[in-house]
Amino acid sequence: MQRKKLFIPGPVEVSPEILQAMATPMIGHRGLEYSALHGAVKPKLKKLLYTENPVFLSTSSATGVMEGAVRNLCAKRVLSCTCGAFSERWHEIALANGKEADPLSVEWGRAIKPEMVEERLATGRYDCLTLVHNETSTGVMSPLAAIAEVVRRYPEVMFVVDTVSSLAAVKIEVDRLGIDVCLAGVQKAFGLPPGLAVCSVSKRALERAATVKNRGYYFDFIEFKEYDDKNQTPCTPAISQIFALNTQLERMFKEGLEARFERHLAMAKRCRAWASAHFGLFPESGYESVTLTAVSNTRNVDMKHVEAELAKRGKEISNGYGKLKNKTFRIAHMADCAPAELEGLLRELDEIVG
Ligand SMILES: *Cc1c(COP(=O)(O)O)cnc(C)c1O
């Protein structure tokens, strides 16, 4: 297998130190060693999420917790903010679980705006709102803080946010923003191999969950909480991933969270400048993602050719997602990606597309 450095928006490149942590000898999940590990990870996650809420470890991909969140928190009706593939998926998940749900949709490439949310919440029909902060399919980052301000005015509404491709790259102050559930998979900006998701759950969200029927079994937040209090998980967790997460959180604090957020922003600015000079940016101006750049393929370059040429150089970027295939392509710059590595990629893209 030819080794390719990943510049795709998940899974991302994983550092050797993390792969090494994954190889830690196995331990039992009901023993003291596991509880010590779980107990060590918890305060670190709280620090990263700027929260006093418990942050649960879910052995699943992020989609599992997206499903869990609507199952646990919606008793009445979900407002699904949709602006791309992952947010549309969340709406489908709500319907698939028998929840009443309406989409608040904008065209792919555009962001969800606070006034749109206000207009819909004012109807009083909803008790749960789902928002994807960083739509990885379109490279759009919706204005989380401004939307949070609106949602806070509706105390009945649970504010459930997918930060799968932004958490650990962008400052997300869960408590200050009043986010009831903040969820992410670890294979994006955390820079870990896939297989684990994390989610913070507020006190009022747990109170809501306690009143909701048919929360399901595997993603029952009440069960998550009971076990988390004992530094355990209801079922066997992905212990190797949790060893790696513990190491990675240490590495994040060593870099410094502010420095980490700045590094991501600097890479985003650099990549946007490159994209604007050679092509165009796909997202609505002012709402470009910090962790990936969605480039409009304005010159109609042959993506197969680009991918093959990059593969020869041992690198990989992403074509556009779904209906955006060939019309856009995506360059991810997140997790442990260094500015110099992005520079190297852009130089090679210069050679390939001129
Ligand atoms: C990748 C991604 C998901 C899905 O995550 P899985 O871990 O594959 O389930 C959901 N939302 C966003 C924004 C993503 O980028």
Side-chain angles (χ1 to χ4, degrees), residues 6 21 27 55 60 94 99-100 119 189-190 193 198 233 275 282 318 330 346:
L6 300 178
I27 56 174
V55 186
S60 65
K99 300 293 182 184
E100 303 285 338
E119 192 188 322
F190 277 74
V198 302
T233 52
F282 180 68
S318 269
R330 294 169 301 156
L346 297 178

Side-chain angles (χ1 to χ4, degrees), residues 181-235:
V181 173
C182 182
L183 66 92
V186 297
Q187 77 277 23
K188 310 258 167 106
F190 277 74
L192 299 180
L196 185 73
V198 302
C199 67
S200 72
V201 180
S202 71
K203 188 159 175 282
R204 61 185 215 123
L206 287 167
E207 286 164 6
R208 165 73 60 82
T211 69
V212 176
K213 285 209 179 73
N214 298 318
R215 295 188 298 274
Y217 191 92
Y218 193 67
F219 298 104
D220 180 354
F221 287 175
I222 303 293
E223 287 282 304
F224 276 20
K225 173 74 166 70
E226 262 174 41
Y227 279 85
D228 188 63
D229 284 345
K230 302 183 288 193
N231 287 330
Q232 289 198 356
T233 52
C235 306

Side-chain angles (χ1 to χ4, degrees), residues 9-28:
V12 302
E13 195 62 21
V14 177
S15 295
E17 205 182 325
I18 294 306
L19 292 174
Q20 201 56 49
M22 290 285 292
T24 308
M26 201 36 55
I27 56 174

Side-chain angles (χ1 to χ4, degrees), residues 3 107 110 128 166 218 240 243 264 266 312 319 327 344:
R3 168 89 173 94
E107 212 184 308
R110 305 198 77 82
C128 185
S166 54
Y218 193 67
S240 302
F243 275 124
H264 279 88
K312 282 188 208 160
N319 202 329
K327 294 188 190 124

Side-chain angles (χ1 to χ4, degrees), residues 9-10 60-64 66 86-87 89 132-137 162-165 183 185-188 194 196:
S60 65
S61 86
T63 306
M66 292 165 79
F86 292 106
S87 43
R89 176 189 291 184
V132 171
H133 176 219
N134 190 59
E135 216 349 310
T136 316
S137 61
D162 164 332
T163 58
V164 177
S165 56
L183 66 92
V186 297
Q187 77 277 23
K188 310 258 167 106
L196 185 73

